[in-house]
Amino acid sequence: MTALRLGALLCSKLCHDLVGPIGALGNGVEILAEEEDKEMQTRALALLGESVEAATRKLRFFRLAFGGAETMGPTVSAVEVRRTAEEFFIKSRVALSWSRPADGSETLDKAAAKLLLNLILVGADALPRGGRLAIDAGAEHLAVTAEGAGARLDPELQAALGGRLDEAQFDSRTAVACHLAALAKGRRAELAVAVPDETRVEITVGPLSRA
């Protein structure tokens, strides 16, 4: 897949994920403009607030996971990366847990931060019914373990992670897996997927070279 094609598909995913909160903003504005009932206006304002928060959480995540984020400097606080991931999934059926305690002094270079967030996205894709995503973010290895009923990683996503995806299967969903594979390759790291049973999917990346 060309970089241009991958970029276009990632933009498609971003737009798809933002349609909901942006559409809700429009609905809230329409209600405020047309509704005279004070109670309905109060509900509309609450809807606007929730939609702004949802859009902001998603944009913050996508900026770090897909964007250049040049204004953020060469490194990102590990605590900020963790908070960005947790806020992204705050309204979802996927719960995040971390194997290592938060350290306010620890930083990640931007490439490692992108790699981790994309790894989390692919791991969450393995939980169609929701569940828990256990995250191990070490200096040399990254790993996510998706645990939940019906946990699985579709063959298309596994093929994308392994660089074997047919061009006809490239879409906004497989684009994240392709992006993850490209990021891992940029760090000269191996991507491995294991499915021990029907409730568990393990994805590991490493060892990581310097960016």
Side-chain angles (χ1 to χ4, degrees), residues 63-143:
R63 175 173 177 258
L64 187 53
F66 303 144
E70 286 81 0
T71 59
M72 301 183 69
T75 62
V76 186
S77 164
V79 171
E80 178 62 23
V81 174
R82 178 181 296 200
R83 180 165 53 243
T84 298
E86 290 175 345
E87 290 179 349
F88 183 81
F89 288 98
I90 197 169
K91 296 289 186 179
S92 77
R93 295 180 297 173
V94 176
L96 305 186
S97 66
W98 306 81
S99 65
R100 302 166 190 266
D103 182 351
S105 65
E106 184 182 359
T107 61
L108 297 172
D109 63 75
K110 287 188 297 186
K114 288 178 184 294
L115 187 54
L116 177 58
L117 292 181
N118 280 268
L119 181 61
I120 290 172
L121 275 182
V122 175
D125 232 343
L127 294 171
R129 303 178 190 172
R132 186 176 77 98
L133 200 62
I135 304 162
D136 185 8
E140 297 185 359
H141 289 79
L142 302 174

Side-chain angles (χ1 to χ4, degrees), residues 1-201:
M1 183 191 299
T2 66
L4 183 61
R5 173 65 171 158
L6 178 57
L9 290 175
L10 291 175
C11 285
S12 293
K13 174 177 176 51
L14 187 153
C15 292
H16 175 272
D17 281 26
L18 287 174
V19 163
I22 297 301
L25 280 173
N27 293 337
V29 170
E30 287 182 6
I31 294 174
L32 285 177
E34 300 173 1
E35 185 60 60
E36 296 182 359
D37 182 79
K38 295 298 184 182
E39 183 177 349
M40 289 299 296
Q41 290 179 350
T42 300
R43 291 180 181 178
L45 286 172
L47 174 64
L48 287 173
E50 292 173 0
S51 300
V52 169
E53 289 179 4
T56 300
R57 289 194 301 266
K58 290 178 181 292
L59 284 171
R60 187 179 295 117
F61 185 98
F62 290 142
R63 175 173 177 258
L64 187 53
F66 303 144
E70 286 81 0
T71 59
M72 301 183 69
T75 62
V76 186
S77 164
V79 171
E80 178 62 23
V81 174
R82 178 181 296 200
R83 180 165 53 243
T84 298
E86 290 175 345
E87 290 179 349
F88 183 81
F89 288 98
I90 197 169
K91 296 289 186 179
S92 77
R93 295 180 297 173
V94 176
L96 305 186
S97 66
W98 306 81
S99 65
R100 302 166 190 266
D103 182 351
S105 65
E106 184 182 359
T107 61
L108 297 172
D109 63 75
K110 287 188 297 186
K114 288 178 184 294
L115 187 54
L116 177 58
L117 292 181
N118 280 268
L119 181 61
I120 290 172
L121 275 182
V122 175
D125 232 343
L127 294 171
R129 303 178 190 172
R132 186 176 77 98
L133 200 62
I135 304 162
D136 185 8
E140 297 185 359
H141 289 79
L142 302 174
V144 297
T145 300
E147 301 174 321
R152 66 176 183 276
L153 200 61
D154 291 347
E156 293 83 1
L157 294 178
Q158 294 197 42
L161 292 176
R164 306 182 306 274
L165 189 67
D166 186 88
E167 187 171 351
Q169 296 174 307
F170 289 145
D171 57 27
S172 59
R173 181 165 173 266
T174 56
V176 176
C178 291
H179 191 221
L180 173 59
L183 292 172
K185 183 177 181 180
R187 297 299 293 261
R188 297 188 291 278
E190 295 293 328
L191 257 172
V193 178
V195 186
D197 53 54
E198 295 180 353
T199 65
R200 188 181 179 94
V201 175

